[in-house]
Amino acid sequence: MVRSKVILLTSLLLGFQLSTTNSGFSQMEDSTAYKWYKGNTHTHTTNSDGDSSPEVVTKWYRDHGYNFLVISDHDTLTEVDDLNKTFGKAGEFILITGSEVTDYLESEKKAIHVNSLNPTKNVLPQGGENPVEMLQNNIDAIREASAIPQINHPNHRWSLTANDLKQTQNCVLFEVHSGHPIVNNLSGGGFPGVEEMWDDILSSGKLIYGMGADDAHKFIDPWDKSGARPGQAWVVVRALELTPTAIVNALEHGNFYASTGVELIDYQVDDKGITIDINAGKRAKYRTLFIGKYGKVYKEAIANPATYEFQGGEMYIRAKIIDSNGCMAWTQPIMLENK
Ligand SMILES: [Zn+2]
Ligand SMILES: [Zn+2]
């Protein structure tokens, strides 16, 4: 199943050869060598507040079609070498070292959480006087550990605003959709949802990529709604090989899409526009929104493949694909100002 999907998705790469996007696709020399790998970068075990051991958690992801997993226990590096020996298989499944740097600004009742992906050492919360300072301190410490930072669930406790994220340096990844049930992916009470925040940030000229992740804690009781369950949201990453370095570098360059269930067969960008071929294998119907500056929907496509022709003035274009059962996928923004 996994293998056939990877082969299928390699067709995605052909279109990138002509691309002039911000994501470095034009640099590709042999695009057919790239493959697509499904993974989750945010999961907890009994090494922090998860309900299952690292072995049980790893087995769940391996057995459910994932190609990589980051175990991100709070302020703890869960050892993955032995897990990789037991569960890893070259080209099919790997664990990547990681943690969730878990900081709290008690004076404002805010939770600033940043994942550290593929670090050389554990990173402890760095503190700070305000949300921006705390976030930056933790990002800087993660970079010092040679890791890639991922800003988690910004609307958890309404902790981080779009303006906070605009001021942040050296981090291009954030969770646009979390599987956790109480982190406010959507808007409410006058507060914007995370996707609205994304357009706000992009419209300021700052490039940031939207990830999907589980933040899974609950693997045992399927009726337990007190925490996040696995399989809710993920990323599909385009990389040359299935290694920790290749995967996190691809994330950092925006070579991925986020999903809660929509699968793409093909995604092409060239000077003229975007073409997205959706895997419509579940009897669902699809609509694709092509979204630009300030969140404006420049086109709603109901055809599959969904196509968009650049008009000029959009500033950026990103696509959101929604199926008739509520599943979604988000492609990364193509910044058009640089064309
Ligand atoms: Zn968190
Ligand atoms: Zn978490």
Side-chain angles (χ1 to χ4, degrees), residues 64 86 122 128 130 198:
H64 286 82
T86 305
N122 194 30
N130 56 64
W198 193 13

Side-chain angles (χ1 to χ4, degrees), residues 42 44 74 100 215 217:
H42 193 165
H44 297 272
H74 295 288
E100 182 172 20
D215 200 357
H217 291 72

Side-chain angles (χ1 to χ4, degrees), residues 53-63 66-67 69 71 79-90 92-95 242:
S53 67
E55 289 76 14
V56 167
V57 168
T58 300
K59 188 173 184 305
W60 191 96
Y61 283 95
R62 186 201 63 179
D63 291 349
Y66 289 71
N67 301 116
L69 173 66
I71 293 177
E79 172 61 46
V80 300
D81 288 348
D82 288 342
L83 291 170
N84 264 323
K85 283 180 191 144
T86 305
F87 297 101
K89 190 170 182 186
E92 293 190 16
F93 182 78
I94 59 165
L95 288 115
L242 185 59

Side-chain angles (χ1 to χ4, degrees), residues 42-44 49 72 74 100 102 113 115 152-153 175 180 214-217:
H42 193 165
T43 303
H44 297 272
D49 55 352
S72 56
H74 295 288
E100 182 172 20
T102 309
H113 295 183
N115 269 10
N152 294 339
H153 46 59
E175 289 180 348
H180 202 290
D214 277 338
D215 200 357
H217 291 72

Side-chain angles (χ1 to χ4, degrees), residues 256-282:
F256 70 95
Y257 67 92
S259 179
T260 62
V262 171
E263 184 176 302
L264 305 185
I265 296 172
D266 198 358
Y267 173 65
Q268 298 191 27
V269 183
D270 61 20
D271 282 347
K272 294 190 173 63
I274 302 171
T275 302
I276 301 173
D277 193 355
I278 305 156
N279 185 357
K282 297 181 294 182

